[in-house]
Amino acid sequence: MASARAGGVRRFYDINGWFFVGPALVLIGLFMVYPILWSLFMSSQSGRGTMIKFVGFGNIVRLANDPVFLRALTNTVTFFIIQVPIMIVLALALASVLNMPKLVGRGLFRTAIFLPCVTSLVAYSALFKGMFADEGVVNSTLEAIGIIATPIPWLTDGFWAKVLIILAITWRWTGYNMIFYLSAMQNIDKSIYEAARIDGINAWGRFVYITIPLLKPVILFTSVISTIGTLQLFDEVMNITQGGPSDSTLTLSLYIYNLTFKFIPNLGYAATVSYVIVVLVAMLAFVQFYAAREKDQ
């Protein structure tokens, strides 16, 4: 009798558990699993409207012969190679400075560095674009102090447009990584530093041999997050350069947008390009996790 009663209680709680979990599973299925499966099916198609046709792996073959895609892929990888190390190193340096106990105005500086992360993207992009216009405050200031003789073509030259996008991403997202590093640093046991100081290890040695090793999980997390964000780069490019000039700042995400909404729509090919981003993110995340594990061993 007791075992039967216990079994009935378990079934009751099992049913109630499904009432709690069920809605979440339905939402995940509708808004995550179904779109993923449908986009995978779409990647085997080409065309639009009633002209859609099944092409199998034809879209994958098309990628290799698409100069616009190759340019977008090159730009995206370039931004990743340059941008991610800059954001991680700069965020770590800023967090180290803000972690100094005797720093005056620490709260003000922390807020100022983090503020771009929570600023409206449209307002941020408009401000940034105006600052770096030919007659903007950046060129005017550089000319006034004698660094340049003529305005730098930030928005009309391919090289400078890339530099501008890198500056925009750095300015906007470095503070995000910095908060994680600063929080982790403030949770390190101060007695460890005190013991190292007594043993005669200088500030640089304590940073390299104590702070960095204890921050490895946070560094791995910010590396993966920064990698995903950079490979999916869209907002800053769309609002500042629109991929120009001459596709010099075109990214994979912006190319997907163009294929879907700007050019003659080809949702199947756009879905195929999106899976290139998925593969890149998976590969690079795996490499980062593997490298972190090897260092721990």
Side-chain angles (χ1 to χ4, degrees):
M1 180 67 71
S3 61
R5 187 180 299 111
V9 171
R10 282 197 298 270
R11 284 194 295 273
F12 173 76
Y13 282 112
D14 288 344
I15 294 173
N16 279 293
W18 281 109
F19 277 117
F20 282 103
V21 176
L25 292 177
V26 171
L27 292 175
I28 291 172
L30 286 176
F31 296 104
M32 290 187 65
V33 178
Y34 172 73
I36 290 172
L37 295 177
W38 182 249
S39 65
L40 186 62
F41 172 72
M42 286 173 55
S43 66
S44 64
Q45 299 176 332
S46 184
R48 60 171 181 156
T50 58
M51 303 299 292
I52 293 178
K53 60 180 180 179
F54 180 79
V55 295
F57 295 103
N59 284 328
I60 298 177
V61 176
R62 179 179 172 182
L63 291 175
N65 301 309
D66 182 357
V68 180
F69 163 77
L70 295 176
R71 199 152 46 238
L73 177 62
T74 302
N75 292 337
T76 301
V77 173
T78 300
F79 286 133
F80 162 74
I81 293 173
I82 298 174
Q83 186 61 48
V84 172
I86 289 177
M87 284 197 296
I88 292 173
V89 173
L90 184 57
L92 189 56
L94 291 171
S96 300
V97 173
L98 291 176
N99 195 43
M100 295 179 179
K102 297 182 180 180
L103 180 67
V104 178
R106 175 166 39 180
L108 177 62
F109 288 126
R110 183 174 59 234
T111 302
I113 295 170
F114 185 72
L115 187 61
C117 300
V118 295
T119 304
S120 167
L121 181 61
V122 175
Y124 170 83
S125 300
L127 175 64
F128 213 86
K129 193 172 182 178
M131 288 172 56
F132 286 86
D134 287 346
E135 303 300 327
V137 64
V138 174
N139 279 332
S140 300
T141 302
L142 293 177
E143 286 183 280
I145 61 180
I147 294 180
I148 59 174
T150 57
I152 296 175
W154 297 100
L155 298 170
T156 56
D157 179 81
F159 171 79
W160 289 111
K162 283 188 176 70
V163 174
L164 176 58
I165 295 299
I166 291 172
L167 289 173
I169 306 171
T170 301
W171 194 353
R172 183 168 178 82
W173 294 115
T174 296
Y176 180 80
N177 290 337
M178 179 202 71
I179 292 297
F180 288 104
Y181 293 140
L182 183 58
S183 177
M185 287 179 182
Q186 292 175 345
N187 282 287
I188 296 176
D189 190 350
K190 300 299 185 293
S191 63
I192 301 176
Y193 290 109
E194 188 61 30
R197 190 180 295 109
I198 293 173
D199 288 339
I201 301 176
N202 58 25
W204 176 250
R206 293 194 297 272
F207 179 76
V208 172
Y209 297 110
I210 297 176
T211 304
I212 295 296
L214 292 176
L215 290 180
K216 277 183 180 180
V218 184
I219 293 174
L220 175 61
F221 171 77
T222 54
S223 299
V224 173
I225 293 298
S226 299
T227 296
I228 294 172
T230 305
L231 292 178
Q232 294 179 339
L233 180 61
F234 174 81
D235 296 329
E236 288 82 357
V237 176
M238 178 65 182
N239 287 282
I240 297 176
T241 64
Q242 291 79 48
S246 302
D247 293 336
S248 60
T249 58
L250 181 69
T251 60
L252 290 174
S253 293
L254 184 57
Y255 188 41
I256 293 170
Y257 171 85
N258 291 339
L259 287 169
T260 306
F261 300 106
K262 190 174 180 180
F263 302 154
I264 297 176
N266 191 332
L267 301 182
Y269 189 53
T272 305
V273 177
S274 71
Y275 275 98
V276 174
I277 298 178
V278 173
V279 172
L280 285 175
V281 168
M283 289 174 55
L284 292 172
F286 174 79
V287 170
Q288 290 168 336
F289 276 104
Y290 182 79
R293 188 185 67 177
E294 287 295 308
K295 289 181 180 179
D296 289 338
Q297 291 177 349

